[in-house]
């Protein structure tokens, strides 16, 4: 099919009509002087000879236009013939390099666009190939060869839905047996890929090294005044004072998703995080979190309903357990914008000696995610609110409201810059007895702010190196709860897909 197509005579890239149009003003300008009947110069006169030279110049100009036109067509023919020869030799990349500089000039030439598309496709540029084939099919929608190759391009891009559409369209045109066999092979491969996608497992493992300026999230003041005792000064235990340290961290986890039908799926996943401090080992911790649920819907609207559970160990002993339920609705406005709404109900239960800190938490919020910079950047924003019910806690329950902003931008093919900002305002319900005086009741009021900045360097398809810095500051009207913390780390991560 290709050789028959390429052997057809290529139309001139600079039409003769354009050249004639360019020469017409010259002809019009000369007509009255060369062929005027009002005065005929005598043979051999200077005026007669001047007119002769004017006609010669006109013919030379017209001939030059024809020469340019013919050479432009000849050049296009030679380039296509050379590119076709390269393709037959299996040198698709060289053929594409030869044709690509001519794309602007030859765009719309069906024979050029088809050969350019094939060269792009066979040299590993399926995205470029689809653009060329689109131009071909816009001119000739029944061009079966171009439609098959368009399907091949979509297949290489992983867009199996559109690839399947192109192949099935060709089948309606009753293609010859060889083409039908090729299409059947691709459709079988697509079915296999789609079946594999019904169950998908992902995982990761990572290791970190870093420095934390406040491993125990504590105040920097070692002595505080207690208003309930007449502002008597107390010295805090070392565990309650800000302690910096270096640390090593490890984490691993994974998730399995199974799409039972087009509108019903199941998921389950778990994550484990551990941190070992260099000297402050009493604050070493391990956390385990698990989740499972169902996904309902397809396309622009998906709802996920799930359960969650977890355990947090501190210094080798269980500190608290977590359990709860959550729900999320995601709506795709367009390929560049997604909104979601979420809710979570969770129970936090501490080990018996500190069970007065038990609380139930409800959180509700909305989120927006946007794709910017031609797909090279992401921007997100979240608003959330909620409450904690803690009848035995010294400060009682609390109401909280918060905001989170995040962004990511691709610096080059392997590197991304990310950053985030957050704020949460918390108002507790009960007056804190220790920090209230006989004349003034003090109810705890916290304002917490955080920020992070880092880089993801994907030095391999599955390996990522991530240096980052994060900062948290909690302002409180009760000094014992006021702290700040800076964490600097480098993480190496291996993903499994």
């Amino acid at each position: 099919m290709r050789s028959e197509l390429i052997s057809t005579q290529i139309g001139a890239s600079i039409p003769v009509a354009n050249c004639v149009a360019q020469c017409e003003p010259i002809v019009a300008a000369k007509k009255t002087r060369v062929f005027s009947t009002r005065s005929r110069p005598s043979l051999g006169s200077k005026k007669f000879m001047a007119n002769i030279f004017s006609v010669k110049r006109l013919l030379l100009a017209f001939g030059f236009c024809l020469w340019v036109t013919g050479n432009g067509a000849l050049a296009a023919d030679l380039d296509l013939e050379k590119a076709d020869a390269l393709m037959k030799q299996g040198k698709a990349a060289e053929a594409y390099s030869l044709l690509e500089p001519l794309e602007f000039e030859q765009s719309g030439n069906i024979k050029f666009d088809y050969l350019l598309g094939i060269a792009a496709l066979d040299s590993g540029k399926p995205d470029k190939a689809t653009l060329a084939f689109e131009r071909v099919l816009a001119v000739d929608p029944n061009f079966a060869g171009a439609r098959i190759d368009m399907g091949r391009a979509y297949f290489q891009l992983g867009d199996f839905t559109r690839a399947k559409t192109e192949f099935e369209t060709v089948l309606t045109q009753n293609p010859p047996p060889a083409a039908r066999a090729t299409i059947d092979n691709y459709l079988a491969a697509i079915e296999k890929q789609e079946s594999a996608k019904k169950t998908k497992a992902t995982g990761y493992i990572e290791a970190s090294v870093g420095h934390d300026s406040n491993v125990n999230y504590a105040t920097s003041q070692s002595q505080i005044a207690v208003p309930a005792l007449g502002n008597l000064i107390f010295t805090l235990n070392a565990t309650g004072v800000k302690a910096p340290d270096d640390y090593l961290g490890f984490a691993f986890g994974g998730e399995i998703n199974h799409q039972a039908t087009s509108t019903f799926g199941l998921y389950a996943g778990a994550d484990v995080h551990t941190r070992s401090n260099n000297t402050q080992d009493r604050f070493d911790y391990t956390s385990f979190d698990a989740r499972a649920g169902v996904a309902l819907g397809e396309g622009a609207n998906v709802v996920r309903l799930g359960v969650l559970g977890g355990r947090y160990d501190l210094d080798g002993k269980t500190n608290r357990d977590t359990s709860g339920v959550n729900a999320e609705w995601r709506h795709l406005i367009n390929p560049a914008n997604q909104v979601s709404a979420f809710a979570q109900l969770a129970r936090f239960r501490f080990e018996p000696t500190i069970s007065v800190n038990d609380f139930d938490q409800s959180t509700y919020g909305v989120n927006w995610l946007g794709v910017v910079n031609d797909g090279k950047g992401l921007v997100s924003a979240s608003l959330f609110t909620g409450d904690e019910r803690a009848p035995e806690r010294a400060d009682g329950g609390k109401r909280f409201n918060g905001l989170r902003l995040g962004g990511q931008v691709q610096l080059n093919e392997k590197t991304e810059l990310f950053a985030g900002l957050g704020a949460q305002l918390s108002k507790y319900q009960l007056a804190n007895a220790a920090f209230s005086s006989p004349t003034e009741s003090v109810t705890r009021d916290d304002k917490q702010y955080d920020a992070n900045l880092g880089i993801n360097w994907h030095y391999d398809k599955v390996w990522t190196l991530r240096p980052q810095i994060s900062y948290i500051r909690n302002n409180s009207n009760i000094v014992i709860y006021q702290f700040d913390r800076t964490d600097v780390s480098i993480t190496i991560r291996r993903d499994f897909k």
Side-chain angles (χ1 to χ4, degrees), residues 269-286:
D271 299 280
V272 176
H273 293 81
T274 181
R275 176 181 287 193
S276 299
N277 296 295
N278 184 33
T279 59
Q280 303 291 333
D281 55 5
R282 72 186 73 182
F283 300 112
D284 292 354
Y285 71 80
T286 300

Side-chain angles (χ1 to χ4, degrees), residues 417-433:
L417 175 69
F418 64 88
L421 295 171
Q424 178 175 311
L425 310 180
S426 302
K427 184 72 175 178
Y428 288 77
Q429 296 175 334
L430 300 180
N432 189 294

Side-chain angles (χ1 to χ4, degrees), residues 194-337:
E194 290 179 339
S195 297
K197 280 190 170 183
K198 289 182 179 179
T199 301
K200 185 177 181 180
T202 59
Y204 70 92
I205 184 170
E206 62 182 36
S208 303
V209 58
H211 177 80
D212 191 333
S213 69
N214 192 350
V215 298
N216 53 339
Y217 295 80
T219 180
S220 59
Q221 297 190 35
S222 59
Q223 293 184 323
I224 58 172
V226 179
L229 300 177
N231 288 321
L232 187 65
I233 302 299
F234 281 80
T235 299
L236 296 178
N237 186 287
T239 59
V241 180
K242 180 178 180 179
D245 204 359
D246 301 322
Y247 65 85
L248 292 175
F250 296 95
F252 62 91
E255 183 167 298
I256 297 176
N257 289 271
H258 176 70
Q259 198 67 34
T261 69
S262 61
T263 58
F264 179 78
L266 302 169
Y267 71 89
D271 299 280
V272 176
H273 293 81
T274 181
R275 176 181 287 193
S276 299
N277 296 295
N278 184 33
T279 59
Q280 303 291 333
D281 55 5
R282 72 186 73 182
F283 300 112
D284 292 354
Y285 71 80
T286 300
S287 66
F288 172 78
D289 297 287
R291 59 199 174 276
V294 299
L296 308 173
E298 64 177 337
N301 291 285
V302 176
V303 174
R304 286 167 64 103
L305 305 173
V307 296
L308 58 91
R311 190 179 76 183
Y312 183 84
D313 292 347
L314 187 63
D315 194 19
K317 301 175 183 178
T318 299
N319 180 263
R320 64 176 182 266
D321 293 317
T322 307
S323 60
V325 296
N326 55 24
E328 181 184 25
W329 168 68
R330 298 176 185 173
H331 174 66
L332 188 66
I333 301 174
N334 55 50
N337 290 278

